[in-house]
Amino acid sequence: GSSSSQRTPFMILCDNNASETQGDCYGFCLVYSGSFLSEVEQDQADQVRVTMGIQPESFRWELNSGDEFCTPEVMMSFSREGLGQLSRNYHNIIHHNLTRGKYHLSRRPILINNWEATYFNFTEEQIYKIAEDASKLGIEMLVLDDGWFGKRDDARSGLGDWFVNTKKLPSGINKFCQKINDLGMKFGLWFEPEMISEDSDLFRAHPDWVLRTAGRQGMLGRCQFVIDMSRKDVVDYLYDSISSVLKSANIEYVKWDANRQIANAWTALLPAERQGEVMHRYVLGLYDLLERLTSSFPNILFESCSGGGNRFDAGMLYYAPQTWASDNSDAFARLFIQYGTSFMFPVSTMGAHVSACPNHQTGRISPLETRGVVAMSGTFGYELDTNLMTDEEKEIVKEQVKTYKKYYDLINYGDYYRLSDPYKTDRYVAWMFLSEDKSKALVNYVQVRAYANAPAIYIKLQGLKEDSIYIVNGKEYSGKSLMKCGIFMSSENGDMIAKQIEVVEK
């Protein structure tokens, strides 16, 4: 029912010897957020055919005389200069032709999300203290995650009841939001509109609003059902209830989550012979709700999420200009996740946060400086409790915030270059951002593993002007030298050591 994190609706056909800088590469990106199929066929004459579209398994659609059916679009691009240029083609398409709204090309706030700090167990005072501390570090927005609504103390109840839990927030959303605004911070909320808990007022009132086979109990996943987004009355309810919350306070951000896939795709409103329409009607209902909400609240920044990156696709980016790339926020894992995501999607679309250490998903320990460098290659933020940080760590965060603000335009809208492949070496990962006029670059480097007496590492840059002189660490180099010979990276003691290097044209 969603575009998946295993098989994203994007693929590249390229020469066998294609690299970042050479080779013919064809890209195909389906603008759709539901079940899909991508196929490549090669016949006996070596002719190649590519098809992409809605997954045909169990799909049926009844068309009567005069009816129309609109299929999803595919964005195609070609590069004869390798995989890197193909990626930059798509980054430009998404920046200038797909995303829209207030935050299309404007600076987005650095946020802190309370999820990994508190999970469901929080009080108003506890969240306020996190915001108060974060505001002193230069962080610009507090996002209140799961647990602020209905009877929601764990994953087993409350979804669908989109009204404030006054036991946790006795001040209510409006007054609490005002408290956050008084700190000089913006305020955002988490929603999971497409899901419904069995233990909820909504389910007790409308058990028929769940996707489940007629006459059967239905399948719970993560203690929740999928609500029937193919129904107009469901979409209308969600619009009214979410709008009521968004109108009640100065809410400037919405994290739109969806933490399970569709099963039992059966609606009570269609006869048996038309149940093959449900999965696609679900996507159309989702798009309708998002269109109504983003039109009614044009000043709100929407971020999509689906258990992390299970629905990171071009269809969702039309409504929400950024997507939470993965629930795995470990810096080491993110080197691979963000590397793979960059082939299609620009940095400005990738939700990336500095999380607590040891990491909650892997238990891995990484330096705070490195977690910051990795998270800066995305929509930068934090996912931890600032009250538990030492004074030294807070000073590091202040510097990270300043650095991200300084390089914001370069990171988010500069040309992106992958300078290494993390799947081919376990020693390091390197990438860079280059301004449009090629006068400034930011090189990011992570020494993943340290080895004794290891060979020297030289990172070869890309995209610079060959005949121009650039200043790197106070020394002058020609663009040609930086691209052909590279920058020497000294070996450090320890794993996951990060560096950022500014390159400026003289």
Side-chain angles (χ1 to χ4, degrees):
S2 64
S3 53
S4 166
S5 58
Q6 287 76 31
R7 293 281 184 266
T8 188
F10 169 68
M11 64 178 173
I12 299 171
L13 290 183
C14 58
D15 293 338
N16 286 333
N17 61 349
S19 68
E20 287 291 331
T21 57
Q22 65 180 12
D24 287 354
C25 302
Y26 298 83
F28 306 88
C29 174
L30 183 67
V31 188
Y32 188 63
S33 305
S35 298
F36 70 95
L37 180 69
S38 301
E39 289 184 325
V40 181
E41 297 177 278
Q42 184 179 25
D43 65 18
Q44 71 277 10
D46 280 349
Q47 298 176 114
V48 175
R49 172 182 292 170
V50 176
T51 58
M52 298 184 85
I54 298 171
Q55 164 64 261
E57 183 179 344
S58 302
F59 172 75
R60 301 289 184 274
W61 194 274
E62 182 177 298
L63 278 175
N64 297 310
S65 178
D67 288 349
E68 294 181 349
F69 182 84
C70 294
T71 62
E73 297 179 351
V74 174
M75 298 191 298
M76 295 181 286
S77 185
F78 171 74
S79 163
R80 59 169 38 95
E81 299 172 359
L83 296 161
Q85 186 56 53
L86 184 72
S87 293
R88 290 185 286 278
N89 290 349
Y90 276 110
H91 296 178
N92 285 328
I93 291 168
I94 291 171
H95 279 151
H96 300 293
N97 301 92
L98 185 71
T99 58
R100 57 189 180 143
K102 175 181 176 179
Y103 288 100
H104 173 211
L105 292 174
S106 62
R107 197 175 79 78
R108 300 171 198 169
I110 299 170
L111 64 84
I112 186 164
N113 185 299
N114 73 292
W115 178 241
E116 289 192 17
T118 66
Y119 294 102
F120 294 106
N121 303 312
F122 61 82
T123 63
E124 184 174 314
E125 292 74 20
Q126 192 175 3
I127 299 299
Y128 182 80
K129 286 180 180 178
I130 292 174
E132 185 177 38
D133 223 21
S135 67
K136 298 173 184 176
L137 305 179
I139 297 172
E140 301 162 306
M141 175 184 283
L142 171 82
V143 175
L144 183 56
D145 210 279
D146 197 352
W148 61 267
F149 55 90
K151 180 191 171 186
R152 184 71 166 173
D153 296 318
D154 53 42
R156 293 187 291 271
S157 63
L159 287 174
D161 297 341
W162 299 113
F163 49 84
V164 67
N165 183 328
T166 53
K167 289 184 179 179
K168 292 183 179 179
L169 296 174
S171 295
I173 289 292
N174 184 31
K175 289 185 178 179
F176 183 67
C177 176
Q178 186 59 55
K179 289 181 182 179
I180 302 302
N181 290 164
D182 289 343
L183 293 172
M185 299 182 75
K186 299 177 186 294
F187 180 70
L189 279 179
W190 178 96
F191 288 86
E192 194 174 7
E194 301 164 65
M195 305 297 157
I196 181 172
S197 299
E198 194 171 25
D199 181 8
S200 68
D201 293 346
L202 183 64
F203 181 83
R204 285 183 281 272
H206 297 283
D208 57 319
W209 281 11
V210 166
L211 284 177
R212 55 179 174 177
T213 309
R216 298 189 179 183
Q217 186 174 355
M219 182 184 294
L220 286 167
R222 198 177 176 263
C223 306
Q224 61 199 47
F225 290 114
V226 181
I227 202 167
D228 187 356
M229 297 288 288
S230 72
R231 297 176 58 138
K232 185 179 183 302
D233 53 353
V234 168
V235 173
D236 288 343
Y237 164 79
L238 290 172
Y239 175 78
D240 290 341
S241 59
I242 294 171
S243 294
S244 178
V245 176
L246 298 181
K247 289 175 183 176
S248 70
N250 184 30
I251 297 166
E252 299 182 71
Y253 169 101
V254 166
K255 182 175 180 180
W256 186 287
D257 213 341
N259 280 307
R260 61 159 291 184
Q261 281 72 45
I262 293 175
N264 306 126
W266 183 283
T267 179
L269 292 190
L270 291 177
E273 64 272 15
R274 294 186 62 189
Q275 293 298 322
E277 301 178 15
V278 173
M279 296 284 262
H280 182 59
R281 288 189 180 277
Y282 181 99
V283 176
L284 296 181
L286 170 64
Y287 287 166
D288 177 44
L289 178 57
L290 285 166
E291 180 67 35
R292 292 164 67 179
L293 286 170
T294 54
S295 298
S296 298
F297 303 95
N299 293 322
I300 292 180
L301 171 60
F302 282 77
E303 178 179 271
S304 67
C305 176
S306 182
N310 287 303
R311 197 165 57 191
F312 201 143
D313 59 66
M316 290 301 291
L317 287 175
Y318 179 73
Y319 300 101
Q322 61 189 55
T323 300
W324 181 233
S326 174
D327 277 350
N328 185 351
S329 57
D330 172 41
F332 173 79
R334 278 302 188 106
L335 290 172
F336 295 84
I337 293 167
Q338 291 168 201
Y339 168 84
T341 306
S342 73
F343 279 86
M344 170 65 204
F345 300 108
V347 163
S348 64
T349 67
M350 293 187 219
H353 294 168
V354 177
S355 58
C357 192
N359 181 265
H360 287 197
Q361 289 78 35
T362 66
R364 186 175 285 110
I365 295 174
S366 302
L368 179 56
E369 294 90 343
T370 301
R371 284 176 272 153
V373 169
V374 175
M376 280 186 207
S377 291
T379 59
F380 190 49
Y382 292 83
E383 194 101 8
L384 41 72
D385 188 344
T386 51
N387 291 289
L388 302 179
M389 301 177 76
T390 66
D391 289 342
E392 181 183 359
E393 288 173 330
K394 290 178 180 179
E395 289 303 315
I396 293 172
V397 169
K398 285 182 182 179
E399 289 304 312
Q400 289 175 347
V401 168
K402 290 177 183 177
T403 299
Y404 188 68
K405 290 178 179 179
K406 176 182 177 180
Y407 294 115
Y408 182 90
D409 289 339
L410 185 60
I411 290 172
N412 284 274
Y413 307 118
D415 288 336
Y416 182 86
Y417 291 85
R418 292 176 292 268
L419 304 181
S420 72
D421 182 343
Y423 291 95
K424 291 183 177 179
T425 174
D426 66 350
R427 289 187 62 194
Y428 67 92
V429 180
W431 63 99
M432 68 176 274
F433 305 99
L434 180 64
S435 62
E436 186 177 2
D437 63 2
K438 303 181 184 299
S439 67
K440 180 183 285 189
L442 180 67
V443 178
N444 297 272
Y445 172 85
V446 177
Q447 176 184 285
V448 179
R449 293 196 180 192
Y451 288 93
N453 302 315
I457 294 175
Y458 289 86
I459 300 299
K460 296 178 181 179
L461 309 192
Q462 297 178 31
L464 303 177
K465 303 173 190 175
E466 284 195 358
D467 298 330
S468 287
I469 300 299
Y470 291 88
I471 300 173
V472 182
N473 294 328
K475 297 181 180 180
E476 295 183 1
Y477 303 87
S478 70
K480 187 173 184 179
S481 171
L482 291 170
M483 291 189 290
K484 299 297 183 182
C485 301
I487 299 175
F488 171 70
M489 292 295 183
S490 60
S491 181
E492 307 289 342
N493 288 330
D495 296 341
M496 293 297 290
I497 306 298
K499 299 177 182 179
Q500 286 183 306
I501 300 171
E502 184 182 65
V503 179
V504 179
E505 186 178 20
K506 184 177 179 181

